[in-house]
């Protein structure tokens, strides 16, 4: 398989880092909700609060990763990705303000668990940071895309835009493959790191879904608003695992 095959583009066209197009969909009013469903608005607030803090932490982690970069071009590339994550954070918090919600209050329920996850998965090298940004954060992004299937169209558009590939996939694949080609011993260490990340990320996703009743209601549904049954929830986590395996394969690592 050639490198061009490995770097085959995803179904959604990558945005240029820092490009904020479509992050705030047109026509999103401050009071978007589903009529007659009192649990829906708190659920959307929880979803956007979790996303906002996830994007802020992604910015912080990538900024730290940039400091470990081995060259000026690599440092600039990672910093550019960090800036794009911060733009996503700003777009999500702006949407919360449009809904009449204090972004800090929406984020607060997720701070402790997200901080704990990032403490447990703190990278010690530049390459570990890249793998975390692509593999670990990728699982979280897939999870939120799954939840977004159950929200209104404007919210779904915002979530999908915030979770879109900003060019990090191609950059990370290129950097990791070049490193493992130069030193094959790196491959085994990064594969182990990737396995640790998937376990921690799936546990984090399950914790977020279980601990916040409003957020979990998006998945399981409510009267008049269908959700996923147990079989579909099982298939959802199978899809998350399958997508992780695909990402690891793109990196040339064993899942």
């Amino acid at each position: 398989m050639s490198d061009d095959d490995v770097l085959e583009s995803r179904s959604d066209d990558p945005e240029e880092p820092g490009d904020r197009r479509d992050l705030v969909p047109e026509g999103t009013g401050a009071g978007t909700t589903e009529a007659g469903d009192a649990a829906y608005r708190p659920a959307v607030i929880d979803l956007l609060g979790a996303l906002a803090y996830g994007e802020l932490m992604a910015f912080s982690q990538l900024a730290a990763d940039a400091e470990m970069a081995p060259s000026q071009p690599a440092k600039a590339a990672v910093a550019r990705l960090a800036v794009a994550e911060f733009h996503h954070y700003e777009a999500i918090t702006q949407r919360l303000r449009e809904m009449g919600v204090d972004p800090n209050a929406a984020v607060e329920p997720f701070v402790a668990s997200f901080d704990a996850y990032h403490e447990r998965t703190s990278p010690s090298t530049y390459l570990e940071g890249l793998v975390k940004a692509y593999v670990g954060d990728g699982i979280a992004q897939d999870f939120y895309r799954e939840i977004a299937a159950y929200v209104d169209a404007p919210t779904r558009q915002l979530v999908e835009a915030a979770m879109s590939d900003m060019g990090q996939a191609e950059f990370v694949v290129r950097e990791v493959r070049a490193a493992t080609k130069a030193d094959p011993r790196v491959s085994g260490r990064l594969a182990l790191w990737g396995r640790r990340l998937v376990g921690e990320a799936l546990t984090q996703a399950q914790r977020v879904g279980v601990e916040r009743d409003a957020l979990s209601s998006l998945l399981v549904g409510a009267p008049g608003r269908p959700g996923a049954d147990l079989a579909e929830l099982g298939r959802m986590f199978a899809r998350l695992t399958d997508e992780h395996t695909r990402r690891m394969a793109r990196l040339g690592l064993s899942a």
Side-chain angles (χ1 to χ4, degrees), residues 204-215:
Q204 174 70 9
Q206 291 171 326
R207 180 178 295 118
V208 168
V210 169
E211 290 182 353
R212 300 295 297 176
D213 290 342
L215 188 56

Side-chain angles (χ1 to χ4, degrees), residues 7-250:
L7 296 175
E8 181 181 358
S9 63
R10 302 177 63 164
S11 58
D12 50 338
D13 293 333
E15 295 177 326
E16 288 296 321
D19 187 351
R20 299 183 64 179
R21 65 189 179 192
D22 298 332
L23 277 177
V24 182
E26 295 180 0
T28 54
T32 300
T33 187
E34 291 188 355
D37 186 351
Y40 183 73
R41 177 180 166 86
V44 170
I45 292 171
D46 266 4
L47 175 60
L48 296 182
L51 277 173
Y53 196 61
E55 292 297 294
L56 184 61
M57 291 301 294
F59 158 75
S60 180
Q61 183 66 69
L62 283 166
D65 294 342
E67 293 302 312
M68 295 189 287
S71 67
Q72 184 276 325
K75 184 186 294 287
V78 177
R80 194 173 298 116
L81 294 176
V83 170
E85 297 286 10
F86 191 75
H87 286 328
H88 290 172
Y89 165 77
E90 289 183 313
I92 296 166
T93 54
Q94 176 59 32
R95 173 64 182 138
L96 285 165
R97 293 187 189 95
E98 291 171 0
M99 294 174 65
V101 177
D102 177 4
N104 293 326
V107 160
E108 181 58 33
F110 305 97
V111 170
S113 61
F114 277 52
D115 284 357
Y117 164 74
H118 283 286
E119 287 174 7
R120 292 193 302 269
T121 59
S122 178
S124 59
T125 68
Y126 169 68
L127 291 174
E128 284 186 358
L130 293 185
V131 172
K132 180 181 177 182
Y134 181 50
V135 172
D137 294 350
I139 294 171
Q141 291 169 357
D142 292 339
F143 176 65
Y144 292 124
R145 287 192 190 98
E146 293 279 354
I147 295 179
Y150 300 95
V151 300
D152 59 276
T155 300
R156 182 166 60 251
Q157 291 167 16
L158 177 63
V159 172
E160 290 175 349
M163 297 295 99
S164 63
D165 187 339
M166 304 165 295
Q168 73 267 36
E170 182 174 349
F171 173 74
V172 172
V173 169
R174 183 175 64 247
E175 290 284 282
V176 170
R177 282 187 166 262
T180 56
K181 183 177 180 180
D183 183 1
R185 294 173 299 179
V186 172
S187 179
R189 293 196 295 270
L190 291 180
L192 288 173
W193 174 242
R195 292 172 199 144
R196 177 181 171 188
L197 288 171
V198 69
E200 292 284 0
L202 287 174
T203 298
Q204 174 70 9
Q206 291 171 326
R207 180 178 295 118
V208 168
V210 169
E211 290 182 353
R212 300 295 297 176
D213 290 342
L215 188 56
S216 64
S217 76
L218 286 177
L219 285 173
V220 301
R225 176 165 52 85
D229 58 21
L230 288 177
E232 175 55 27
L233 289 175
R235 288 190 292 270
M236 181 190 76
F237 280 99
R239 288 192 295 270
L240 296 180
T241 303
D242 289 345
E243 188 64 14
H244 165 74
T245 300
R246 189 192 70 85
R247 285 194 179 96
M248 291 289 282
R250 290 192 72 196

